[in-house]
Amino acid sequence: MDTGVVIFLTDYGIDPLDLARAVEERGFESLFLTEHTHIPTSRESPWPGGGELPERYAHTYDPFVAIGAMAAVTERIVLGTAVSLVNQHHAINLAKQVASVDRIAGGRFELGVGPGWNKEEMAHHGVDPRTRTARMLETVEAMTAIWTQDEAEYHGKYVDFDPIWSWPKPTRVPPILIGGGGPTVLDRVLSHGHGWVPLRVPVSGLAEFTERVDELQRRAADAGRGHIPVSMYGAARNAEAMRSYREAGVDRVLFELTDQKGPGARDAVLRELDELRALSGDA
């Protein structure tokens, strides 16, 4: 089981390039970034975590810009999004961003995607929350067409364009990791994804989660597909959890780095990485 980290990379925290170098130097397999273009001042949509929305949500770097820079100072680690809110982008623009980042990274990029939870944020992008999942899937389909065809076109309900030329192409179709844990998420993983990113499954819920992983792999085999990787977002930080994740069929755990601010942010994150690396021995 591989171990990586995921972070809300903010303008007040550790420098992106320092973080990328530190993650690679410590032997982690991957580094993933979250995405929010902005946060509406309206708080009508409750934060899924409960309570007040943390400050970090409004301070995140653009993940594609940051990952492009991180790719230039690393050689081995997988770089990706967990997750990109693809409905905040036009499919043509996002396809070029992803292809560019993947080529700069030498094929080390993975695109985690999700429809989002903040309805006001969606509205600012002209997205109807009732159609967010369908729009996301059309965007994935449209981008795949652009990545794989010299003259790509796509005609859907939410994404529509006539034949286009668009280069560069990525080194390969970047793995699409479908984020979420809702009742129909496995359908989306099987129809549009190359992997699944479940969110913060507690040890107490691992029995049910294991059944879902088994279902995913069984349905994949029935469809003539191979093993579908599972990347756990927000893994619990203890040896028992590591063993349980591995037994449940998790392929990668992503430890979410804590939010650090101020002059000591860099050193605090480096200490946290050292602690997590020691725990990774149980993976």
Side-chain angles (χ1 to χ4, degrees):
M1 186 170 67
D2 292 322
T3 57
V5 296
V6 59
I7 187 173
F8 279 73
L9 187 68
T10 65
D11 58 345
Y12 58 72
I14 187 171
D15 176 80
L17 304 190
D18 286 347
L19 175 63
R21 293 188 186 101
V23 170
E24 182 155 278
E25 288 167 358
R26 284 159 177 75
F28 288 98
E29 179 263 349
S30 54
L31 168 58
F32 283 75
L33 304 183
T34 63
E35 179 179 39
H36 283 276
T37 57
H38 70 292
I39 293 295
T41 58
S42 164
R43 300 298 334 121
E44 292 181 28
S45 292
W47 179 46
E52 293 296 321
L53 184 72
E55 181 182 17
R56 63 181 181 268
Y57 276 79
H59 286 259
T60 54
Y61 277 87
D62 180 292
F64 300 100
V65 173
I67 288 171
M70 290 171 160
V73 299
T74 57
E75 297 179 352
R76 179 189 55 78
I77 55 172
V78 172
L79 298 164
T81 55
V83 293
S84 172
L85 303 179
V86 298
N87 291 334
Q88 297 184 352
H89 305 265
H90 190 283
I92 294 174
N93 297 82
L94 185 57
K96 183 176 284 285
Q97 286 176 279
V98 170
S100 300
V101 166
D102 180 69
R103 290 184 71 90
I104 291 168
R108 291 184 286 135
F109 181 75
E110 297 186 6
L111 180 65
V113 303
W117 58 268
N118 191 315
K119 294 180 180 180
E120 301 90 88
E121 185 179 358
M122 296 174 207
H124 289 178
H125 287 281
V127 175
D128 183 341
R130 295 170 298 180
T131 63
R132 56 187 155 177
T133 300
R135 183 185 291 267
M136 178 188 77
L137 297 179
E138 282 198 5
T139 300
V140 169
E141 292 172 358
M143 290 193 298
T144 302
I146 294 171
W147 295 330
T148 59
Q149 300 171 21
D150 287 347
E151 294 188 359
E153 63 181 298
Y154 186 86
H155 302 287
K157 184 175 180 179
Y158 308 103
V159 181
D160 184 88
F161 53 87
D162 290 328
I164 64 171
W165 293 321
S166 179
W167 279 270
K169 304 297 186 186
T171 61
R172 82 287 191 234
V173 174
I176 303 296
L177 313 181
I178 305 294
T184 61
V185 68
L186 297 188
D187 296 338
R188 296 190 288 279
V189 175
L190 289 161
S191 64
H192 289 77
H194 304 100
W196 179 28
V197 184
L199 308 177
R200 299 186 184 90
V201 177
V203 173
S204 60
L206 277 173
E208 179 182 355
F209 172 71
T210 300
E211 293 177 358
R212 297 198 79 186
V213 175
D214 290 343
E215 177 190 350
L216 173 64
Q217 305 304 351
R218 183 175 62 254
R219 291 175 61 183
D222 290 344
R225 298 182 56 177
H227 177 81
I228 295 181
V230 177
S231 300
M232 174 69 71
Y233 182 110
R237 301 183 179 198
N238 61 73
E240 178 187 357
M242 291 298 100
R243 290 190 292 272
S244 297
Y245 292 144
R246 185 176 59 249
E247 292 168 0
V250 172
D251 300 276
R252 170 198 283 151
V253 293
L254 296 174
F255 296 111
E256 184 177 5
L257 296 177
T258 54
D259 195 28
Q260 303 290 345
K261 188 175 184 179
R266 178 182 182 277
D267 290 343
V269 171
L270 296 183
R271 288 194 298 271
E272 186 175 9
L273 287 173
D274 288 335
E275 295 168 359
L276 291 173
R277 192 55 204 160
L279 178 59
S280 297
D282 294 306

